[in-house]
Amino acid sequence: MAGPLEGLEVVELAGLAPAPFGCMVLADLGASVTRVDRVGGAAAVPGDVLGRGRRSIGVDLRRPEGVDLVLRLVARSDVLVEGFRPGVAERLGIGPAQCLARNPRLVYGRMTGWGQTGPLADRAGHDINYIAVAGALEPIGRAGAPPTVPLNVVGDFGGGGLLLALGLLAAVYERDRSGRGQVVDAAMVDGAALLTTFLHGMSAAGAWPGGRGENLLDGGAPFYDVYEAADGKYVSVGALEEKFYVELLAVLGLADGDVPSRHDPANWPALRARIAAAVATRTRDEWAALAEGTDACLAPVLAPGEAPGYGHNAERGAFVRVGGVAQPAPAPRFDRTPADVPAPPPVVGEHTGVVLGELGLTAEEVAELRRAGVVG
């Protein structure tokens, strides 16, 4: 894989969602990621897009011989990533102490929901629990309704995998000065909380006075919301600044003097009704066409399957097809060291022989390990 991280060697202990996403980002940008899969694990399926761009070896980590193979991989790598509950990697013999003893320059990434310490560290949980405790779930939703679950993008991927990738690269950067590796404790509850920093600032400044769904950026303001069009689809409106709001009214065919002043929140319900009535007169795509070339801040709300074919996305190549599956392209973009189109996700154990050969094992030794069930 080409990209700015070409030459970075990463060992990934197979897991779910956030850690694979973080490793996908690294692989997309050129890192060589070798995933250690469970022997006998399910083969990759076309929809496993988080597994793209990897090599896969099958190893039985319950066997001392399997643990030794992972430690040999660690000895020649820059980064190891695991997403087990606290203490599991140590019990397997591949915790930070064991790995850093083999390679003092190793950056050891730990991806969990609650973190390595604290009263909840050993408890089970999922994205919705982590963002709830982080204060990221409560503000999302309509006034008078329960919080809206924002898929699992805030905890698993934004506050989890993406912050993991950033932390790993920060530690690699620091290692170039100190010569020493370290442990990166990436917790989704920490990352989700970090994503709400702006909200805490607005609240402290008195710019977030209302409850859920009653403020400027949470759907409370009628000029920052979504509206249903004539075909049952939706458009997004984000005309915060006055000059953009004027253009929005022009696109909608509304005169500024004929609508209530937006500067008084008491007028917001009436203004919302006027905007909604206007949007309901045309289809989503008709509104998108009318807004094209303007600064009305009106854009169509696209389903994930529609996004790859949208004109702007298509022209920029924001989506690619990998293994026959349309999916987001690597991001961000680099002018001198652009990333390649990712390779499809590997079959479990697809590269076992090649990787073990790089560790110095002969074909006969690999075959014996296969017969013993240590590798697959």
Side-chain angles (χ1 to χ4, degrees):
M1 293 286 291
L5 297 184
E6 186 175 4
L8 186 72
E9 295 286 341
V10 179
V11 178
E12 172 191 5
L13 305 184
L16 297 174
F21 178 72
C23 290
M24 183 202 80
V25 171
L26 299 180
D28 281 354
L29 300 184
S32 175
V33 180
T34 300
R35 188 178 66 203
V36 179
D37 284 303
R38 181 170 55 87
V39 170
V45 294
D48 178 30
V49 296
L50 296 183
R52 69 192 191 189
R54 313 284 213 284
R55 299 194 300 178
S56 168
I57 64 172
V59 179
D60 187 349
L61 293 178
R62 298 166 299 179
R63 306 275 293 274
E65 302 92 333
V67 170
D68 181 65
L69 290 175
V70 172
L71 292 175
R72 292 175 67 173
L73 265 178
V74 162
R76 59 188 290 274
S77 298
D78 299 293
V79 174
L80 179 138
V81 174
E82 59 96 350
F84 302 131
R85 286 203 203 188
V88 171
E90 284 86 347
R91 290 194 294 273
L92 289 171
I94 48 176
Q98 295 100 329
C99 290
L100 286 164
R102 287 289 186 104
N103 180 359
R105 291 175 55 84
L106 181 74
V107 172
Y108 192 106
R110 317 198 80 170
M111 181 76 259
T112 60
W114 302 116
Q116 298 297 313
T117 60
L120 297 176
D122 293 325
R123 294 276 298 278
H126 283 293
D127 178 288
I128 191 170
N129 309 122
Y130 311 135
I131 68 173
V133 170
L137 177 58
E138 193 277 339
I140 302 174
R142 292 294 180 182
T148 297
V149 180
L151 301 178
N152 61 332
V153 297
V154 178
D156 278 347
F157 301 122
L162 202 56
L163 264 292
L164 168 69
L166 175 62
L168 296 173
L169 295 180
V172 169
Y173 176 77
E174 190 279 335
R175 184 190 64 187
D176 288 344
R177 299 192 304 278
S178 68
R180 300 171 59 193
Q182 61 181 305
V183 177
V184 177
D185 176 2
M188 283 176 264
V189 68
D190 297 345
L194 185 66
L195 294 177
T196 68
T197 303
F198 180 69
L199 176 57
H200 283 273
M202 292 190 70
S203 180
W208 198 271
R212 179 170 51 253
E214 298 176 345
N215 301 282
L216 188 64
L217 300 177
D218 60 1
F223 42 87
Y224 197 89
D225 205 350
V226 295
Y227 291 91
E228 186 174 357
D231 55 354
K233 297 179 181 179
Y234 293 85
V235 299
S236 65
V237 168
L240 292 174
E241 293 80 2
E242 188 66 28
K243 59 182 179 180
F244 302 150
Y245 179 66
V246 170
E247 292 205 39
L248 171 67
L249 293 181
V251 168
L252 295 178
L254 298 172
D256 191 18
D258 295 336
V259 296
S261 170
R262 71 177 187 143
H263 299 295
D264 184 355
N267 293 332
W268 285 1
L271 179 57
R272 187 186 310 278
R274 293 294 304 276
I275 295 176
V279 173
T281 63
R282 298 179 186 272
T283 68
R284 180 195 70 180
D285 293 344
E286 287 173 338
W287 284 120
L290 285 171
E292 189 173 348
T294 75
D295 282 335
C297 299
L298 183 153
V301 177
L302 303 175
E306 295 178 292
Y310 183 64
H312 180 82
N313 297 338
E315 184 171 328
R316 280 183 59 81
F319 291 80
V320 294
R321 295 192 71 84
V322 179
V325 178
Q327 55 198 266
R333 305 176 187 216
F334 300 82
D335 67 343
R336 286 193 301 103
T337 56
D340 285 338
V341 174
V347 173
V348 169
E350 180 177 344
H351 307 96
T352 300
V354 173
V355 174
L356 296 187
E358 293 171 357
L359 294 180
L361 277 71
T362 67
E364 292 76 16
E365 289 172 322
V366 173
E368 179 57 33
L369 289 172
R370 289 188 191 277
R371 284 192 292 271
V374 176
V375 302

